Amino acid sequence: MRMKDKLLANVKVFKPANKSFEAFEKRFHTVMGDQLAMTDDQLRQIYDGFSPYIETSIYAEMEDVLAAIRNTYHALVNWVTEGPAKASEKHGNQSDKHSGVQTLGNHKSFSKHKQSHHPGTEEQESKDQPSRHDAIQRYMNDEKSFNQFVTHVITNYQSLPKQRIGVLVFKHEGYQHLELKLFGESFIQQYGFRTAYHLHNDLMHAFYTTFDDLLAKGTVLKSDQAIQEQVLAPVLEQFKAKIDAKAGEST
C-alpha cells in the first residue's frame, strides 16, 4: 500500500473521542476560521488523519497540529495562484537582459539578500483576495483536491519544517557551485544580472514547491538527509542542466 493510501486509510478507521475533536474544532476556528472555511466533516477527516500520529494528546500538541494546517494552507494558496502568477511573471520579465548588470566578484550568498518591495504590491494583493478565496474554496470542495490537502497536513505534521531547506541549501556543495556559476562574471556579462536574479528566484521557489509536492503525495521528510536527497539534489540537477543549456546557446 502506498504511503498516501495508508494515510488516507487511517482517516477512515480512526474514531476519536468527541470531546477531543470539539477542542480541536474550536481552536481551529479561533486560529484559522477567517482564512479557511471547512465543514465539520472536513475537520473530522483531518483530525482522524493526524490522530494516529499524536504521541501525547491533542491538547499537548494542538499548536503543532495547527501549524501543520497553516503550512498546508500556505501551500494551497501557492497551488491555486501559481498559474496566474507565472503568467504575470513571464510578462514582467520581458526586459533588456543587460539592465542592472553588476560585477559580483566577492558576493555573499545572493539568496540572503533582501528583495525589493514594489509599490502597489499590497494594493494588488488586496484586490486579488476575493478571487483567491473563491479558488481556495473550489479546491476544498473538490474531493480529490481535499484528500491531497489532508495528506499534506498529515505528512507536514510528521516532517521537518520547510524552513529547514534554507539552512541546508547554503551548506550544499551542489548549490554553492551553481550559485558561483550563476552569479559569476562570465554569466552576468553574457546574460545580465536580472536573468541570473530570476533564475535564482526560480531555483529557491522550486525547492519549496518540490517539498510541498512530495508531502501532498504522502512522502514524510523527517530528516536532513531526506530533504537533501529528495528535494535539494533533484532540483539542483534540473537547474544545473537548465543553466548549462543556456550557457551552451551562445557557443
Side-chain angles (χ1 to χ4, degrees), residues 11-147:
V11 171
K12 298 177 181 179
V13 302
F14 192 87
K15 300 297 181 182
N18 284 336
K19 190 173 182 180
S20 297
F21 170 71
E22 288 170 2
F24 161 71
E25 184 180 34
K26 181 178 180 180
R27 184 61 180 155
F28 170 83
H29 287 305
T30 299
V31 174
M32 296 199 65
D34 60 337
Q35 295 176 295
L36 192 58
M38 281 199 279
T39 66
D40 289 348
D41 287 342
Q42 287 178 323
L43 284 173
R44 172 71 74 172
Q45 188 173 340
I46 291 174
Y47 185 91
D48 290 356
F50 67 71
S51 290
Y53 305 99
I54 296 287
E55 295 182 356
T56 55
S57 72
I58 182 59
Y59 302 100
E61 301 188 35
M62 183 79 77
E63 298 311 311
D64 290 337
V65 169
L66 288 170
I69 296 174
R70 189 180 298 108
N71 290 338
T72 302
Y73 169 76
H74 291 313
L76 167 59
V77 170
N78 187 61
W79 293 333
V80 301
T81 60
E82 192 173 50
K86 282 186 176 179
S88 175
E89 181 180 338
K90 182 177 180 181
H91 176 74
N93 286 348
Q94 303 302 317
S95 58
D96 183 358
K97 68 178 181 179
H98 291 294
S99 62
V101 172
Q102 301 178 22
T103 300
L104 299 180
N106 294 321
H107 73 284
K108 294 183 179 179
S109 180
F110 182 78
S111 49
K112 293 181 180 178
H113 292 179
K114 287 186 177 180
Q115 298 180 14
S116 60
H117 178 75
H118 298 284
T121 300
E122 292 182 0
E123 181 181 351
Q124 182 61 42
E125 288 180 352
S126 178
K127 291 179 180 179
D128 291 341
Q129 286 294 331
S131 59
R132 186 175 75 177
H133 177 76
D134 291 343
I136 288 172
Q137 288 309 129
R138 285 195 298 271
Y139 181 98
M140 297 296 284
N141 291 335
D142 179 79
E143 183 178 359
K144 182 178 179 180
S145 298
F146 182 70
N147 284 339

Side-chain angles (χ1 to χ4, degrees), residues 154-208:
I154 299 168
T155 53
N156 190 282
Y157 178 70
Q158 300 172 79
S159 298
L160 290 177
K162 183 163 57 176
Q163 291 78 5
R164 187 66 185 160
I165 292 172
V167 176
L168 296 174
V169 70
F170 299 124
K171 300 177 181 179
H172 196 286
E173 186 175 342
Y175 170 81
Q176 293 170 357
H177 289 164
L178 188 62
E179 186 185 45
L180 286 173
K181 182 171 185 177
L182 189 59
F183 291 103
E185 190 168 350
S186 175
F187 191 93
I188 294 296
Q189 287 182 346
Q190 188 168 1
Y191 295 103
F193 176 79
R194 185 167 297 179
T195 296
Y197 173 88
H198 285 298
L199 283 171
H200 185 272
N201 281 354
D202 289 345
L203 172 63
M204 298 305 296
H205 182 68
F207 287 139
Y208 294 114

